[in-house]
């Protein structure tokens, strides 16, 4: 793989906490033009893997290269400006600012600040409004963020993460807490983003495979800190590999390039 096409390159990553390997000899490459799902049960190592990629956590052993920058030889805070991250923990940082509007929240993404402290240009405002249009949120630009529904908050935070034009966007269980309608609205917006040639590389983290829209091209399966499988999604999201990953016998159906998982109840009850 040519260097300029490497988005993420992890080699033999181990991360140990309280004498236990949370990640164990993980090697994984993400190339430009790929969008990856990262799946596994709670405690499988998904969040630890993300923190290492974003430079918030240092591996015990192994090498990390993100967007062509080798960790240990690069400015991590500067690199983070090219990495967007959307998670529930990010939403919570704005609970102390009830009067901030949707537009102000999105604009704060340019400098990764909670609140606006830097000068904002007309160009910044137009870009933020364009992102809200892209996520079908433009009619709510002046509304207070705290008054939004959960789905609207998620879309606002994705627009915020896109404000600095990141090359890599991590979506950490973005559908948590959403009702069926709000989830499908959000997934539709993510699908459109994934199909855009100007959009960032997506890492979509979940343990619900039905959230994987057609734009997701590859999948990584984690179990107890080890890779079960990694590669093109059709070759990885199989009954055998998913049953191993989720510790349950399952079947998988595909509909319009989207996988749906079912527990094999007869086998499970035996």
């Amino acid at each position: 793989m040519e260097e300029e096409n490497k988005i993420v390159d992890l080699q033999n990553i181990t991360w140990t906490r309280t004498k236990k390997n949370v990640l164990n000899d993980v090697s994984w490459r993400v190339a430009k033009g790929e969008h990856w799902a990262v799946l596994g049960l709670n405690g499988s190592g998904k969040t630890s893997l993300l923190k290492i990629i974003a430079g918030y956590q240092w591996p015990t052993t192994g090498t990390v290269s993100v967007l062509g920058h080798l960790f240990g030889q690069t400015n991590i805070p500067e690199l983070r400006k090219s990495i967007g991250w959307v998670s529930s923990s990010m939403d919570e940082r704005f609970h102390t600012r009830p009067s901030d509007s949707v537009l102000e929240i999105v604009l704060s993404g340019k400098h990764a600040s909670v609140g606006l402290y830097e000068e904002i240009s007309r160009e910044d405002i137009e870009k933020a409004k364009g992102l809200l249009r892209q996520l079908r949120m433009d009619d709510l630009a002046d509304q207070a963020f705290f008054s939004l529904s959960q789905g609207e908050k998620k879309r606002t935070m994705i627009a915020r993460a896109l404000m600095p034009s990141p090359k890599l966007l991590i979506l950490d269980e973005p559908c948590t807490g959403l009702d069926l309608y709000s989830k499908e609205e959000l997934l539709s917006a993510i699908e459109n983003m994934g199909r855009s040639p100007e959009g960032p590389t997506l890492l979509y983290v979940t343990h619900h495979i039905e959230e994987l829209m057609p734009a997701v091209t590859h999948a990584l399966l984690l179990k107890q800190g080890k890779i079960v499988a990694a590669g093109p999604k059709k070759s990885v999201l199989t009954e055998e590999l998913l049953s191993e990953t989720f510790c349950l016998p399952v079947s998988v159906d595909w509909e319009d390039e989207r996988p749906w998982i079912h527990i094999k109840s007869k086998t499970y009850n035996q």
Side-chain angles (χ1 to χ4, degrees), residues 11-16 23 52 57-64 71:
Q11 294 297 318
N12 306 113
I13 296 297
T14 299
W15 188 63
T16 304
L23 294 171
I52 286 173
Q57 196 165 271
W58 208 258
T60 306
T61 62
T63 61
V64 180
F71 284 23

Side-chain angles (χ1 to χ4, degrees), residues 84-97:
W85 188 319
V86 177
S87 69
S88 298
S89 61
M90 183 63 71
D91 299 8
E92 294 167 2
R93 296 173 62 189
F94 291 89
H95 287 175
T96 58
R97 305 185 60 85

Side-chain angles (χ1 to χ4, degrees), residues 93-147:
R93 296 173 62 189
F94 291 89
H95 287 175
T96 58
R97 305 185 60 85
S99 63
D100 283 4
S101 70
V102 168
L103 182 60
E104 288 171 332
I105 296 287
V106 176
L107 285 168
S108 73
K110 180 178 180 182
H111 299 287
S113 59
V114 179
L116 292 176
Y117 307 101
E118 307 281 346
E119 184 176 345
I120 298 298
S121 67
R122 171 53 54 184
E123 184 181 25
D124 292 334
I125 293 172
E126 290 306 313
K127 181 175 182 179
K129 288 182 175 178
L131 289 169
L132 287 171
R133 277 194 301 274
Q134 179 183 333
L135 290 156
R136 300 194 294 277
M137 289 285 295
D138 47 314
D139 58 331
L140 299 175
D142 297 323
Q143 190 162 320
F145 178 71
F146 84 95
S147 69

Side-chain angles (χ1 to χ4, degrees), residues 21-85:
N21 282 351
V22 178
L23 294 171
N24 195 345
D25 196 28
V26 171
S27 295
W28 179 37
R29 285 183 173 179
V30 175
K32 189 174 181 179
E34 298 173 351
H35 299 305
W36 282 73
V38 181
L39 299 110
L41 294 172
N42 290 338
S44 61
K46 301 189 301 295
T47 300
S48 297
L49 190 66
L50 299 182
K51 287 182 176 179
I52 286 173
I53 290 170
Y56 291 111
Q57 196 165 271
W58 208 258
T60 306
T61 62
T63 61
V64 180
S65 177
V66 177
L67 300 172
H69 297 273
L70 182 64
F71 284 23
Q73 301 178 14
T74 192
N75 183 326
I76 298 294
E78 189 65 27
L79 175 63
R80 285 200 200 108
K81 295 178 182 179
S82 297
I83 303 172
W85 188 319

